[in-house]
Amino acid sequence: MFARPFRVKSNTAIKGSDRRKLKADISAAFPSLSADDVSELVPNKEELNVVKVYAHKGDAVTLYVLHKNPLFFELEKRLYPTVYVLWRYPNLLPTFRTWTPVLQKLIGGADLMLPGVVVPSSGLPDVKQGNCCAVTVVNNRAPVAVGTAAVSTAEMCSLGMKGRGVCVVHTYMDNLWAFGDKSGPPSLPDAESVGQGVNGEDYNFDEEEVEEEEVEKCVEEEQISCDTVTDQTCSGFEELSLAEQIMDALLFQCFLHALKSKVKKSELPLLTSTFLRNHMFSCCPSGKQLDIKKSSYKKLSKFLQAMQQQHNLVRVKELTKGVESIVEVDWKNQALRSFSAPEGIDDEAVLMQDGGEGEAPYNPPEITTLYSVSARLGPLFLEANKRKGAVLQPAEVRSIVTEYVKNNELCNRLLLQLNNVLVSSSYFHRTLGRMQECYQVVFPGLAPVTRKGHIEPIDISVASRGSNKKVTLIKNLEVYGLDPAVVATALQRRVQASSVLQPIPGSKDKVLVQIQGNQIHQVGNLLLDHYRIPRKYIQGLEKAPKGGKKK
């Protein structure tokens, strides 16, 4: 609904009678709100605005705005709360939970499909088709989307959790959210966490239901030695998803292995980022990928803090501002002394992406220009059994054109005595000019993806914000398989400046990276040297500031 910009028709202060009617409508639509709650949401003596807008598809929507934040919106005579209200009253609507990566799809305008719903041990909320409901992500009760149930709870179960679950009308980071103060969701911890098995089955981790042997079984299935997980580590598994359990176990295993076989006392103090990059990554079993962001710790600093406080294995200290180092290792610690490295560890394993936060390795895609057969060129390609819409390499086009020239003796028809090569070349370039240009993108290990038109370059630009402040904007990273959040973090570390992600209006599944200052030099270095993106696919490098001679 609000994935694309909307048009404001009018913006007026609410009348007294309309204010009373709005309160009555809120109480009727959301009976769980008390009279005090409603009065707090719609105060009598504060200015409340009624903003009438048209969504991009022409739907007429009425917004009720208090202190510049939209609180409710009315669509087809039905009242919906915005995420700003739901963050204050997270239990206002029945809630469906999903995984964090799904949120980006919802922001882009997608509905929540049932395979993406995480089923808690208590079961799904009881809803009927059309009921207003909210969507949260695992490990945070703060709603991030609002919509209506596509089917009833009973139908969801009878359908085997397949098909559409929630028809989403509003999300965090959409244009309705951006109409407010653009604050982020609060952190509201989940009472229980749920994981999903490799084959799609749900693992519900509840203190009474999950036994230690079940956790060990899950870990063994992922080929991670459960011997590396101490009793203290396993005791917290009941509150974690399966994916986090597995990554925590792998993280702890690599940590112990690195301390026991890689780190020497003479190396201390050792930068924590160096310890992760040069030691822990090389201790990761073959076929596995160490990613701190997929663990329950999320950051290296939090993991090392736990290793220091809970296990007394290391002592970490900030020797210089903002830079942590391991200054001491307890070599006599029982967990470290009893640890034995699993078989099959490649000590010369390829290191992950630099940056010290366990990012996944990146390999640039192979990009090939292709050409599609158009209707008017059908007769030319018919002899080669290539019909309208067939996609060809330039070499294939040249071969077909050359054969066509020879078979039809086109050289003899020309007034100028040109040889076959020149005639074929002339026809080849004219033919390419009349074909639909396409491009094919191939990422390592994935099937090729072919699309019409020219591939969009990564666009880098500089914009002004406020008085003499500049920001660098980067878009189209997703086209090349780059995660904007990872790129933003890498740039943030390189230039020591703040960065934010913003949805691109009118674009589906695309995010804009914004970082303070004119950082085109650093962005260019990161894309060209680190990610190895060819220069021809990067637009805007010429806008980098040019250094002048000091007088």
Side-chain angles (χ1 to χ4, degrees):
M1 174 62 70
F2 300 105
R4 297 183 183 181
F6 51 80
R7 179 170 61 89
V8 176
K9 179 186 176 184
S10 63
N11 186 345
T12 58
I14 196 170
K15 298 178 181 178
S17 58
D18 291 336
R19 188 189 298 262
R20 289 190 293 273
K21 182 179 182 301
L22 177 61
K23 283 187 173 184
D25 290 343
I26 293 173
S27 297
F30 311 106
S32 61
L33 289 175
S34 66
D36 291 338
D37 293 334
V38 175
S39 295
E40 186 178 343
L41 287 169
V42 187
N44 289 326
K45 296 185 178 180
E46 294 188 38
E47 185 174 332
L48 182 72
N49 284 43
V50 180
V51 182
K52 295 188 176 182
V53 304
Y54 288 112
H56 70 280
K57 289 186 178 180
D59 299 298
V61 186
T62 302
L63 314 180
Y64 296 97
V65 182
L66 177 70
H67 301 150
K68 297 184 179 181
N69 273 350
L71 300 181
F72 296 90
F73 62 98
E74 189 175 338
L75 173 65
E76 295 179 350
K77 298 184 179 181
R78 181 170 189 173
L79 207 59
Y80 297 86
T82 66
V83 290
Y84 292 110
V85 168
L86 292 176
W87 292 341
R88 294 165 64 180
Y89 302 95
N91 298 321
L92 184 62
L93 299 175
T95 300
F96 292 89
R97 203 163 14 166
T98 188
W99 304 106
T100 304
V102 177
L103 174 58
Q104 199 59 51
K105 300 293 183 183
L106 303 183
I107 293 171
D111 290 332
L112 178 62
M113 308 305 286
L114 289 175
V117 173
V118 179
V119 182
S121 57
S122 56
L124 294 170
D126 186 18
V127 297
K128 295 179 181 178
Q129 184 177 10
N131 280 9
C132 192
C133 49
V135 179
T136 65
V137 294
V138 171
N139 295 330
N140 193 350
R141 290 190 303 112
V144 292
V146 183
T148 57
V151 292
S152 67
T153 303
E155 287 177 291
M156 291 179 188
C157 298
S158 64
L159 292 170
M161 295 302 289
K162 293 181 180 179
R164 199 178 308 276
V166 178
C167 299
V168 176
V169 294
H170 159 54
T171 68
Y172 161 59
M173 287 190 74
D174 68 4
N175 285 276
L176 178 57
W177 165 84
F179 197 70
D181 61 15
K182 299 182 182 179
S183 57
S187 179
L188 304 176
D190 249 336
E192 65 175 327
S193 292
V194 182
Q196 192 175 54
V198 176
N199 296 321
E201 66 270 29
D202 291 325
Y203 290 88
N204 298 313
F205 294 99
D206 184 80
E207 206 167 51
E208 298 178 359
E209 296 176 1
V210 178
E211 309 253 341
E212 186 173 337
E213 56 264 29
E214 183 65 28
V215 172
E216 291 181 354
K217 178 183 175 184
C218 294
V219 173
E220 285 169 3
E221 287 177 356
E222 289 295 320
Q223 299 177 348
I224 298 174
S225 172
C226 203
D227 295 336
T228 65
V229 186
T230 63
D231 291 339
Q232 294 112 308
T233 306
C234 283
S235 65
F237 271 9
E238 294 87 350
E239 300 179 0
L240 305 179
S241 71
L242 176 62
E244 287 176 326
Q245 292 179 38
I246 293 169
M247 190 52 66
D248 283 4
L250 177 60
L251 197 61
F252 192 69
Q253 171 185 305
C254 295
F255 173 76
L256 292 177
H257 188 183
L259 288 181
K260 190 160 186 176
S261 61
K262 301 286 183 181
V263 178
K264 298 177 182 178
K265 193 172 182 179
S266 59
E267 290 184 82
L268 301 179
L270 178 65
L271 288 174
T272 57
S273 58
T274 303
F275 172 67
L276 175 70
R277 185 170 59 247
N278 294 352
H279 299 310
M280 286 185 65
F281 283 152
S282 63
C283 292
C284 187
S286 179
K288 295 294 170 186
Q289 191 176 91
L290 192 63
D291 190 343
I292 290 182
K293 291 180 181 177
K294 292 181 180 178
S295 71
S296 64
Y297 302 99
K298 307 303 179 190
K299 292 184 179 180
L300 176 63
S301 56
K302 289 186 178 180
F303 170 72
L304 292 176
Q305 185 179 18
M307 297 301 102
Q308 175 175 301
Q309 296 177 355
Q310 298 176 17
H311 304 287
N312 297 317
L313 281 161
V314 294
R315 189 163 68 88
V316 179
K317 192 174 180 181
E318 193 176 278
L319 297 180
T320 57
K321 189 175 181 181
V323 181
E324 292 185 334
S325 299
I326 297 174
V327 296
E328 188 178 324
V329 177
D330 183 5
W331 307 105
K332 296 180 181 180
N333 186 286
Q334 185 59 37
L336 189 58
R337 293 180 64 183
S338 61
F339 174 80
S340 57
E343 296 180 3
I345 301 294
D346 182 8
D347 287 345
E348 301 300 324
V350 179
L351 297 181
M352 308 279 275
Q353 235 177 326
D354 66 356
E357 290 295 339
E359 300 165 4
Y362 172 81
N363 291 304
E366 292 182 11
I367 302 169
T368 308
T369 300
L370 302 174
Y371 293 88
S372 175
V373 177
S374 59
R376 62 177 176 173
L377 292 176
L380 190 153
F381 290 93
L382 195 58
E383 293 179 8
N385 292 322
K386 303 296 182 183
R387 302 187 180 277
K388 178 186 174 183
V391 177
L392 306 172
Q393 298 264 4
E396 293 179 278
V397 177
R398 181 182 290 275
S399 175
I400 292 171
V401 169
T402 302
E403 283 298 314
Y404 185 84
V405 169
K406 289 179 180 179
N407 294 340
N408 291 275
E409 299 181 351
L410 296 181
C411 289
N412 298 331
R413 300 180 189 179
L414 294 178
L415 296 175
L416 297 175
Q417 295 298 313
L418 299 175
N419 61 35
N420 281 352
V421 175
L422 290 177
V423 174
S424 298
S425 177
S426 173
Y427 272 91
F428 169 66
H429 289 293
R430 288 170 61 188
T431 302
L432 286 185
R434 295 180 180 181
M435 297 181 74
Q436 167 72 57
E437 188 170 330
C438 309
Y439 66 91
Q440 184 183 77
V441 181
V442 182
F443 289 96
L446 297 178
V449 176
T450 304
R451 293 189 175 92
K452 292 182 179 180
H454 299 273
I455 188 168
E456 293 181 284
I458 296 176
D459 183 74
I460 310 170
S461 60
V462 176
S464 297
R465 296 286 188 271
S467 57
N468 204 28
K469 289 185 179 179
K470 297 192 179 295
V471 294
T472 303
L473 309 174
I474 312 143
K475 61 182 180 181
N476 297 333
L477 293 167
E478 299 90 342
V479 176
Y480 299 84
L482 291 169
D483 185 344
V486 173
V487 174
T489 302
L491 284 171
Q492 199 170 357
R493 288 197 297 266
R494 286 190 175 213
V495 303
Q496 297 299 303
S498 64
S499 63
V500 294
L501 300 179
Q502 296 179 344
I504 299 176
S507 296
K508 199 171 184 180
D509 302 332
K510 285 189 180 181
V511 176
L512 180 79
V513 176
Q514 175 181 302
I515 188 162
Q516 284 185 345
N518 187 333
Q519 310 293 354
I520 290 182
H521 271 312
Q522 291 291 347
V523 175
N525 291 339
L526 182 70
L527 295 175
L528 293 169
D529 301 335
H530 183 66
Y531 292 117
R532 306 188 303 282
I533 302 293
R535 184 178 289 270
K536 65 180 178 179
Y537 298 123
I538 304 175
Q539 177 178 288
L541 292 176
E542 70 281 357
K543 300 172 186 174
K546 297 177 181 178
K549 293 183 180 179
K550 293 183 180 180
K551 294 183 180 180

